Amino acid sequence: QVQLVESGGGSVQAGGSLRLSCAASGYTGRSYCMGWFRQAPGKEREGVAAIYTGGGSTYYADSVKGRFTISQDNAKNSLYLQMNSLKPEDTAMYYCAADLRPCNGGSWYWVVGYNYWGQGTQVTVSS
């Protein structure tokens, strides 16, 4: 069983930055795919970025490429999302998720592929 706890959300103005963190516990003995997702009010949950903890391969949604960076610290069992040049359309609840398999380049953004989810952290970007 994997437990995920997000932190680091908040309110910023457009153009600002935030760094989200996700602390993982309960199942850290093997490499797997970890992702960040977001869900805005009235919209479906969407994949933002993912990383394979075993090799460091990363994947990004087109909407965040060049602005967001996903990273990991295996020693701390932690996942991060550095978000720069934030836009009002980035406003959403952000979730950390884990899939106990390697990332797949063609499906890393599928919500149904992830077994474990955190409770989410709110990011609000004002114009």
Side-chain angles (χ1 to χ4, degrees):
Q1 188 80 5
V2 177
Q3 293 83 44
L4 304 171
V5 179
E6 304 95 335
S7 62
S11 298
V12 296
Q13 291 192 325
S17 298
L18 283 174
R19 187 192 194 210
L20 305 184
S21 299
C22 174
S25 61
Y27 186 89
T28 56
R30 203 172 74 180
S31 300
Y32 47 94
C33 188
M34 292 196 74
W36 285 101
F37 288 75
R38 66 186 182 186
Q39 188 167 19
K43 295 188 177 181
E44 293 186 353
R45 192 168 298 189
E46 62 175 359
V48 175
I51 187 168
Y52 175 51
T53 66
S57 298
T58 57
Y59 308 86
Y60 293 95
D62 288 343
S63 59
V64 306
K65 280 182 181 176
R67 299 189 299 123
F68 291 11
T69 302
I70 189 171
S71 63
Q72 59 175 338
D73 185 333
N74 287 339
K76 296 182 179 180
N77 295 322
S78 293
L79 180 73
Y80 305 100
L81 186 68
Q82 178 66 44
M83 305 186 295
N84 299 327
S85 302
L86 282 161
K87 304 175 181 180
E89 51 263 45
D90 294 318
T91 295
M93 184 72 78
Y94 282 71
Y95 298 90
C96 173
D99 175 4
L100 301 183
R101 299 169 297 180
C103 294
N104 183 304
S107 61
W108 66 266
Y109 50 89
W110 291 0
V111 172
V112 296
Y114 289 78
N115 312 91
Y116 302 99
W117 293 84
Q119 294 300 306
T121 185
Q122 178 68 38
V123 172
T124 302
V125 185
S126 59
S127 58

